[in-house]
C-alpha cells in the first residue's frame, strides 16, 4: 500500500468536508477497498472512515419502508431485518463469510457496485432510494453499469430507503471460491407489480429482467416464466461460466426465487 | 504517525502507527503476537481472524487506527487463566483438528464467535460458518468434529471418523 492518512469523523458534515481534499476517498468496511489498496490499484492521499458516524448506523422501520444507514454492516442487516424484511436479511446473511459481514457495509457495497455483488440486486428489485449527503437517487437511475454508479466524487451514501415487498426471495448461485454470486436473482412482489433484478450475469452489472416482471405481474408462479428465454448477448464470460450458462442460470434462479418467495 | 490505544487480551497497549498499518501488522510486528497468522493477506483464508469488540474480523483487512479504543482478543488470550487449553483448543487437540496448525488460530477464533452466537450448531451450520477459514491440511472433517465436541455434542456421526 502507498502511504495515506486516515480520518475518523463522527458526523456526515465532517466527512463531506474531509472528502473535499484532493485524492481523499471514503472508507466503509474496507472489505473491498483494503485489498484494492494492497494491490496498489488505488492511491488515495487520505481515507475518510465512515463507520464512526452514528447517523449512518442502524435500521429504522416506518411501516412499509426500511431506512438503513449507509455504514450499517451486513451482519447487522442480517439480524435486524429478519422480522421486517426476511429476504433482505437472508441475502445479507449469505454475503461472504462471518468476518466479512462484521466489517462490510451496505453503503460500501452499493458504492462499489461489483457486477456480482448481492446488495445491488435487492436495492434494484425493491425499488430502493439511495440517499446521499446531497440528494436522493432512485435505484433505477443509480446503477449505471459494472462498478459504475450515479455517485459524484466525494458523495457519500448516507442511507438506503428500502420499500418492503409483499413477498420476496433472493436466489444466489454461489461461486464457491469467492462466495459472490455467479448469478443471483432477487424477485420482489409488490401490490402494483413484480420487480426482478439480476446480478452476476451481465457486463452491464445489475439489471432488471422486464419480460419476467411482466409475466410474473400477471401470474406470480414459477410456471409463468417457463416460455421466456434469456439472451446470452452481453452476459459475462469468464472461467466460471459462459454467457449461455449464465443465461440459463438467470431463468432457473428466477423460477426458484418465485417458488420460494414469502 | 498516529498513536492508537486499545486493549489486547485484556492488557492496555499504545503504539504509533501509520494510516496504512493493518491491525495484523500491529499485532504481529509491534506487539509480537505472532499467533495471528497471515495466510493470504487478501481476506480469503481467515488465518488472521481476531475479535474486535467481541466480533470476528480478518485483521489483515482492517486498519490498526480503526481499532483505536477497541478491545481486541487474539489466540494468545484464549487459554484458561492457569495456562491450560480452553474447551475449543482442547477439542481441536483431542479430535486432531489440526495438522500443520497454520489455520488453527483463525479456526479457534472463528469457532469462539460461532459458539457465542449459536452454542449448539448443527454440522451444516458449522461448515457454513467456516466458509471464510481455509485449511489446506485436514480436509475439515476433524475441525468440524472438534467444534461439535467443543459445543458438547455427539461427534460419532461425523464423517472421517
Ligand atoms: C471474502 C469476501 C467475500 C465477499 N463476498 C461477497 C458476496 O458474497 N456478496 C457481496 O455482495 N459482496 C461480497 N463481498 C464484498 C463485501 O460485501 C464488501 O463489504 C463490499 O463490497 C464493500 O463494502 P465495504 O463497506 O467493505 O466498502 P469499502 O471496501 O470500504 O469501500 C468500497 C468502495 O466504496 C466506497 N465507499 C464505501 N462506503 C461508502 C459510502 N457510504 N458512500 C460512498 N462511497 C463509499 C469506497 O470509497 C470504495 O470505493 C465479499 C468480500 C470479501 C473480502
Ligand atoms: S491473512 Fe487475512 S484472510 Fe488470509
Ligand atoms: S492444519 Fe494446516 S492449514 Fe489447517
Amino acid at each position: 500500500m502507498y502511504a495515506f492518512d486516515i480520518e475518523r469523523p463522527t458526523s456526515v458534515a465532517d466527512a463531506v468536508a474531509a472528502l473535499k481534499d484532493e485524492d481523499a476517498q471514503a472508507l466503509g468496511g474496507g472489505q473491498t477497498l483494503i485489498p484494492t489498496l494492497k494491490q496498489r490499484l488505488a492511491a488515495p492521499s487520505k481515507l475518510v472512515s465512515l463507520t464512526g458516524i452514528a447517523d449512518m448506523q442502524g435500521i429504522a422501520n416506518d411501516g412499509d419502508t426500511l431506512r438503513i444507514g449507509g455504514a450499517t454492516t451486513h451482519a447487522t442487516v442480517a439480524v435486524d431485518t429478519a422480522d421486517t424484511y426476511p429476504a433482505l436479511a437472508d441475502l445479507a446473511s449469505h454475503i461472504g463469510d462471518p468476518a466479512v459481514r462484521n466489517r462490510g457495509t451496505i453503503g460500501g457495497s452499493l458504492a462499489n457496485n461489483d457486477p456480482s455483488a448481492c446488495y445491488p440486486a435487492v436495492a434494484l428489485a425493491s425499488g430502493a432510494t439511495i440517499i446521499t449527503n446531497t440528494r436522493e437517487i432512485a435505484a433505477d437511475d443509480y446503477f449505471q453499469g459494472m462498478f459504475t454508479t450515479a455517485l459524484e466524487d466525494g458523495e457519500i451514501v448516507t442511507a438506503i430507503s428500502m420499500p418492503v415487498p409483499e413477498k420476496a426471495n433472493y436466489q444466489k448461485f454461489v461461486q464457491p471460491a469467492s462466495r459472490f454470486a455467479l448469478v443471483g436473482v432477487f424477485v420482489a412482489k409488490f401490490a402494483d407489480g413484480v420487480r426482478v433484478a439480476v446480478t452476476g450475469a451481465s457486463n452491464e452489472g445489475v439489471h432488471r429482467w422486464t419480460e419476467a416482471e411482466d409475466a410474473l405481474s400477471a401470474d406470480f408462479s414459477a410456471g409463468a416464466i417457463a416460455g421466456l428465454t434469456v439472451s446470452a448477448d452481453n452476459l459475462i464470460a469468464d472461467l466460471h461460466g459462459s454467457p449461455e450458462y449464465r443465461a440459463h442460470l438467470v431463468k432457473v434462479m428466477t423460477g426458484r426465487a418465485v417458488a420460494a418467495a414469502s | 504517525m498516529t498513536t492508537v490505544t486499545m486493549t489486547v487480551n485484556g492488557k492496555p497497549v499504545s503504539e504509533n502507527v501509520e494510516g496504512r498499518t493493518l491491525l495484523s501488522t500491529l499485532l504481529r510486528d509491534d506487539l509480537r503476537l505472532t499467533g495471528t497468522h497471515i495466510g493470504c493477506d487478501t481476506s480469503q483464508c481467515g488465518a488472521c481472524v481476531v475479535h474486535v469488540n467481541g466480533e470476528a474480523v480478518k485483521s489483515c483487512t482492517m486498519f490498526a487506527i480503526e481499532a483505536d479504543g477497541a478491545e481486541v482478543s487474539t489466540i494468545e488470550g484464549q487459554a484458561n487463566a492457569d495456562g491450560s487449553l480452553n474447551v475449543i483448543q482442547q477439542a481441536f487437540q483431542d479430535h486432531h483438528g489440526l495438522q500443520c496448525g497454520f489455520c488453527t488460530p483463525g479456526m479457534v477464533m472463528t469457532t469462539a464467535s460461532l459458539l457465542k452466537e449459536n452454542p449448539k450448531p448443527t454440522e451444516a451450520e458449522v461448515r457454513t460458518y467456516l466458509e471464510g477459514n481455509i485449511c489446506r491440511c485436514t480436509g475439515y472433517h476433524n475441525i468440524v468434529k472438534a467444534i461439535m465436541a467443543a459445543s458438547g455434542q455427539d461427534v460419532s456421526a461425523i464423517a472421517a471418523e
Side-chain angles (χ1 to χ4, degrees):
Chain A
M1 280 182 278
Y2 296 109
F4 48 79
D5 297 326
I6 299 185
E7 281 189 35
R8 299 175 82 202
T10 53
S11 74
V12 172
D14 287 350
V16 170
L19 283 168
K20 288 218 159 66
D21 280 17
E22 205 183 340
D23 296 330
Q25 188 173 359
L27 172 66
Q31 300 304 291
T32 297
L33 184 53
I34 295 177
T36 310
L37 292 166
K38 287 180 180 178
Q39 292 176 62
R40 295 193 162 180
L41 295 174
S45 57
K46 178 166 77 177
L47 293 183
V48 180
S49 166
L50 305 175
T51 47
I53 301 173
D55 282 351
M56 286 178 58
Q57 292 287 349
I59 296 153
N61 178 7
D62 80 353
D64 43 11
T65 305
L66 302 179
R67 186 187 186 285
I68 305 172
T72 309
T73 62
H74 310 330
T76 300
V77 173
V79 172
D80 288 0
T81 65
D83 296 332
T84 46
Y85 192 166
L88 167 63
D90 183 62
L91 174 146
S93 72
H94 289 94
I95 293 175
D97 57 62
V100 167
R101 294 194 288 273
N102 283 337
R103 295 293 303 162
T105 67
I106 187 168
S109 177
L110 293 175
N112 197 46
N113 193 20
D114 188 297
S116 301
C118 301
Y119 271 129
V122 61
L124 188 59
S126 306
T129 303
I130 315 301
I131 302 169
T132 77
N133 53 301
T134 55
R135 57 189 171 140
E136 301 195 349
I137 311 167
D140 284 313
D141 303 323
Y142 175 85
F143 298 106
Q144 300 192 344
M146 199 182 263
F147 295 113
T148 311
T149 69
L151 292 177
E152 306 278 352
D153 270 356
E155 192 171 0
I156 299 174
V157 176
T158 55
I160 295 88
S161 172
M162 194 87 84
V164 179
E166 291 174 351
K167 284 184 173 189
N169 188 260
Y170 179 58
Q171 291 287 324
K172 171 176 171 180
F173 193 92
V174 179
Q175 201 283 80
S178 74
R179 294 177 295 283
F180 276 85
L182 185 59
V183 167
V185 178
F186 199 102
V187 172
K189 179 183 186 299
F190 291 91
D192 60 354
V194 176
R195 291 172 64 104
V196 177
V198 178
T199 189
S202 171
N203 286 317
E204 301 298 317
V206 70
H207 62 279
R208 288 169 66 185
W209 183 16
T210 47
E211 290 87 351
E213 292 182 351
D214 293 343
L216 291 166
S217 296
D219 168 17
F220 193 70
S221 73
I225 60 161
L228 302 182
T229 46
V230 179
S231 163
D233 288 353
N234 210 15
L235 295 195
I236 297 171
D238 60 18
L239 81 167
H240 308 298
S242 64
E244 292 72 23
Y245 181 61
R246 283 187 162 85
H248 175 72
L249 276 181
V250 170
K251 184 167 163 183
V252 172
M253 291 294 124
T254 304
R256 288 187 189 172
V258 172
S262 59
Chain B
M1 297 289 255
T2 307
T3 306
V4 294
T5 306
M6 62 190 81
T7 62
V8 176
N9 300 326
K11 293 192 200 83
V13 300
S14 192
E15 291 287 336
N16 288 325
V17 298
E18 287 186 84
R20 62 181 168 179
T21 304
L22 297 166
L23 178 57
S24 53
T25 310
L26 170 80
L27 294 170
R28 290 178 50 85
D29 295 0
D30 296 337
L31 302 178
R32 307 303 298 163
L33 295 172
T34 54
T36 296
H37 289 168
I38 301 301
C40 65
D41 210 18
T42 58
S43 50
Q44 300 297 321
C45 76
C48 66
V49 168
V50 302
H51 296 174
V52 175
N53 293 329
E55 287 182 341
V57 304
K58 291 174 176 169
S59 61
C60 77
T61 311
M62 176 171 181
F63 294 114
I65 288 179
E66 296 182 280
D68 191 25
E71 279 181 32
V72 177
S73 21
T74 71
I75 189 69
E76 287 87 351
Q78 298 304 299
N80 297 321
D82 65 0
S84 61
L85 299 182
N86 77 8
V87 172
I88 296 168
Q89 294 169 310
Q90 189 61 53
F92 270 71
Q93 187 182 77
D94 292 346
H95 295 276
H96 207 59
L98 60 152
Q99 289 178 23
C100 79
F102 196 86
C103 68
T104 313
M107 289 289 178
V108 169
M109 298 308 287
T110 300
T111 302
S113 293
L114 165 64
L115 298 186
K116 194 174 82 177
E117 284 170 32
N118 183 357
K120 294 259 183 270
T122 63
E123 181 182 342
E125 286 169 342
V126 170
R127 289 184 188 276
T128 303
Y129 204 91
L130 292 184
E131 273 178 347
N133 291 79
I134 294 175
C135 175
R136 291 288 80 144
C137 301
T138 65
Y140 301 98
H141 293 311
N142 285 352
I143 292 176
V144 174
K145 222 170 171 183
I147 296 171
M148 296 301 275
S151 60
Q153 304 188 83
D154 177 29
V155 297
S156 54
I158 293 169
E161 186 57 16

